Structure formats: C-alpha cells, structure tokens
Amino acid sequence: MLTATQKKTAEAIVNIFETGEVLGDYSQVTLIAGDTGRLTFGRSQTTLGSGNLHGLLQRYCVNPGARFGARLTACLPDCAARKESLDTDLKLHNILRASADDPVMRDTQDAFFDEVYWRPAARAAERMGISSPLGVAVVYDSFVHGAWKAMAERVIRELGDVAAAGERAWITAYVATRRAWLAGHPRADLRATVYRMEAFQRLIEQGYWGLDAPLVVRGKEISTATLFATPSGCYDGPQPGTRALALQSPLQRGLDVRLLQLGLSERGLNVKADGIFGQTSVRLIKEYQTACGRPATGAADAALITELVG
C-alpha cells in the first residue's frame, strides 16, 4: 500500500507528463493532429474519442452544485456521439476551461481519474507483484498513456514475470521496452512521448524507488509545498464585478476575467478563456462595445461585466 503522499507523488509525475503541471492542469483543452483520442480535457487529459470525456462531463452535470452543469448538459448528446464538430467547437472549449475554476469539477476529475486510471493500475500492479511506489507509478503511467497489457506481455516473454526477475529488474526492463516501442512508433505524436520513459529511467538510475520527496521531474519540483498548492491555471476569485478590468502591468488574471471571456465567446467572439486580460481581451471588448454603439474603451466596468457574465 502506498501512503497518501506517495500516491500523490506518483500521480504528480504523470500529471507533469500530461499537462506539464505537478497537480495537473484541470482546464487544459488539447487537440493534437493525428491523435485518435481527438479532443482531450482535464488533469489527466481524458478524450472524446475514447468516450471517457462524455463520462466525466455526465458525472459533473448530475451534481446539483455544478456551476457549468446546464451549459455542459446541452453538449452531452454530441459528446456521447463523439461528434467531430466538438473538436473545433471553441465555445465548448471555453466552457471546459472555465469549469476548472469550479471546485465541483476539480473534485469530479479527481474522483473520475482515480476510478478510471489509478485503481485499475493499482490492482494490475498488485496482481503482478509490483509494490514499490516507483513501480506503481510506471504502471499508472501506462494505464493513462495506453498499451500497458501489450508491453507487460512483451517483457514477460523476454524476461519472465516479476517474481522470477525481481521487481526492480522487471520495471527497468519494462521502461526500456516501452521507450523503444514509443521511439519506433509509426505515430509521430507517440514518438514524441519518449520523454516519459526517459524520466522514469532517470528516477530508476537515481534509486528513487520510494518516490521520497522532494523530486524534480522534467524541471518541475514535486514536494509537500507543490503537492498541496492551488492547482495552476485555476481561479477562485475575484468574483465578477468586484473590480474593473483593463489592460495593466502585470496583467489582470482571475475568475472574473475568465467569465468575462466566456461571455464574449458565447456571443460569437473568438477568444480563448484563459483568465488573463491581455491585448486580445482588450481588442474583443472594443469590438463588442462598438457593435453595441458604445465608446470603444477596451475596459470593462461593473455594468459591462454583469452584462457579459450574467
């Protein structure tokens, strides 16, 4: 059994692989050319193509406290049908980004990814006789990334099972085998992910089988401070209307900015709801103000914020 901190550390390693953040990027929306998963979202990048995105959103929408439940419920039939139009639906993408500011969505993602990826990986590791935190992390990564069973069978054919080879030798061989498979894969997007196995190879070489923090993985610090921080890219405030929004240095960031951008997006303006009030936000505010016959200041006062946010 891994301790709670060892589990969070193992998850953090895969979070870094998936989104570049220790706690994961709950708001990340990605579309990689050639990826059969197509539209992907959230901390562990669940995909439209697999059907898991629909499962995650359905679970979120049935929660009566879901702030964006009504908006996302309207998308569920298309999501269930895995419609290709969702891959480029910028309004949906912005709703997904904004939903990450809702603690209900973050809790839903945690529970969903735990059920879909972590628990099956932990059970598979236990059946194989893999008990070290680093070994379990390797199994978990393969459940998230795919092809655990095929790679494990390949190593067993070449080396024997974990009991015969010893856990550390088996995991070391598995990581090397998986790296070679990724490096020679016909899909360019998978070839580009060899860094995952290279990161595990470095942890193995350094003897970090217990995943004792602090660790550095791909330049990111995994420590008590980072494991229990507020997730990157999520905003708990300020509330809309509590301040005016205008171009400043440093740039204004927060929940109010994200919701303002979402309001612009839902009115047909091409904006990425990233929660950062930059030059693009100023330009689109001006466009909106001009279309409404108002002075094009590019700033948003409380009245305009209320109008756009609702």
Side-chain angles (χ1 to χ4, degrees), residues 92-164:
L92 170 62
H93 298 182
N94 281 328
I95 297 170
L96 292 174
R97 291 185 182 102
S99 72
D101 296 331
D102 183 359
V104 174
M105 172 56 88
R106 299 201 294 269
D107 289 346
T108 301
Q109 286 194 32
D110 287 343
F112 182 83
F113 293 134
D114 193 73
E115 179 181 313
V116 173
Y117 298 122
W118 178 266
R119 293 183 205 170
R123 289 194 293 267
E126 184 177 11
R127 287 194 298 269
M128 294 282 288
I130 297 168
S131 59
S132 70
L134 179 54
V136 176
V138 168
V139 178
Y140 173 59
D141 174 68
S142 290
F143 268 74
V144 173
H145 201 214
W148 154 255
K149 184 178 179 181
M151 291 296 100
E153 289 175 348
R154 186 176 298 184
V155 176
I156 290 171
R157 286 195 300 270
E158 296 175 355
L159 191 66
D161 61 17
V162 175

Side-chain angles (χ1 to χ4, degrees), residues 2-198:
L2 274 61
T3 67
T5 301
Q6 287 170 331
K7 177 177 181 286
K8 285 183 71 68
T9 300
E11 290 173 329
I13 293 170
V14 178
N15 289 340
I16 292 168
F17 294 163
E18 290 289 297
T19 66
E21 300 293 342
V22 170
L23 296 178
D25 185 343
Y26 290 82
S27 69
Q28 184 158 312
V29 175
T30 307
L31 186 64
I32 300 174
D35 186 351
T36 56
R38 299 167 47 209
L39 177 65
T40 66
F41 168 64
R43 194 199 84 196
S44 290
Q45 292 289 274
T46 192
T47 65
L48 176 67
S50 69
N52 280 339
L53 179 59
H54 174 261
L56 171 66
L57 297 185
Q58 187 174 50
R59 183 175 298 193
Y60 171 72
C61 290
V62 299
N63 189 308
R67 181 171 190 170
F68 298 90
R71 286 177 167 105
L72 288 172
T73 294
C75 303
L76 286 178
D78 286 350
C79 195
R82 308 178 194 184
K83 287 196 173 179
E84 291 187 7
S85 59
L86 298 184
D87 291 343
T88 54
D89 187 335
L90 299 183
K91 290 182 182 179
L92 170 62
H93 298 182
N94 281 328
I95 297 170
L96 292 174
R97 291 185 182 102
S99 72
D101 296 331
D102 183 359
V104 174
M105 172 56 88
R106 299 201 294 269
D107 289 346
T108 301
Q109 286 194 32
D110 287 343
F112 182 83
F113 293 134
D114 193 73
E115 179 181 313
V116 173
Y117 298 122
W118 178 266
R119 293 183 205 170
R123 289 194 293 267
E126 184 177 11
R127 287 194 298 269
M128 294 282 288
I130 297 168
S131 59
S132 70
L134 179 54
V136 176
V138 168
V139 178
Y140 173 59
D141 174 68
S142 290
F143 268 74
V144 173
H145 201 214
W148 154 255
K149 184 178 179 181
M151 291 296 100
E153 289 175 348
R154 186 176 298 184
V155 176
I156 290 171
R157 286 195 300 270
E158 296 175 355
L159 191 66
D161 61 17
V162 175
E167 179 179 342
R168 295 189 179 188
W170 196 94
I171 289 294
T172 300
Y174 177 88
V175 169
T177 299
R178 187 174 178 86
R179 189 204 178 284
W181 172 71
L182 289 170
H185 204 281
R187 280 175 47 187
D189 59 315
L190 285 179
R191 290 198 301 274
T193 63
V194 292
Y195 66 81
R196 300 170 86 112
M197 296 305 102
E198 290 169 352

Side-chain angles (χ1 to χ4, degrees), residues 190-211:
L190 285 179
R191 290 198 301 274
T193 63
V194 292
Y195 66 81
R196 300 170 86 112
M197 296 305 102
E198 290 169 352
F200 278 130
Q201 284 175 329
R202 283 192 287 273
L203 292 172
I204 289 169
E205 289 165 2
Q206 293 163 7
Y208 293 143
W209 292 94
L211 295 184

Side-chain angles (χ1 to χ4, degrees), residues 230-243:
T230 300
S232 176
C234 293
Y235 303 108
D236 295 325
Q239 291 301 313
T242 59
R243 62 175 178 171

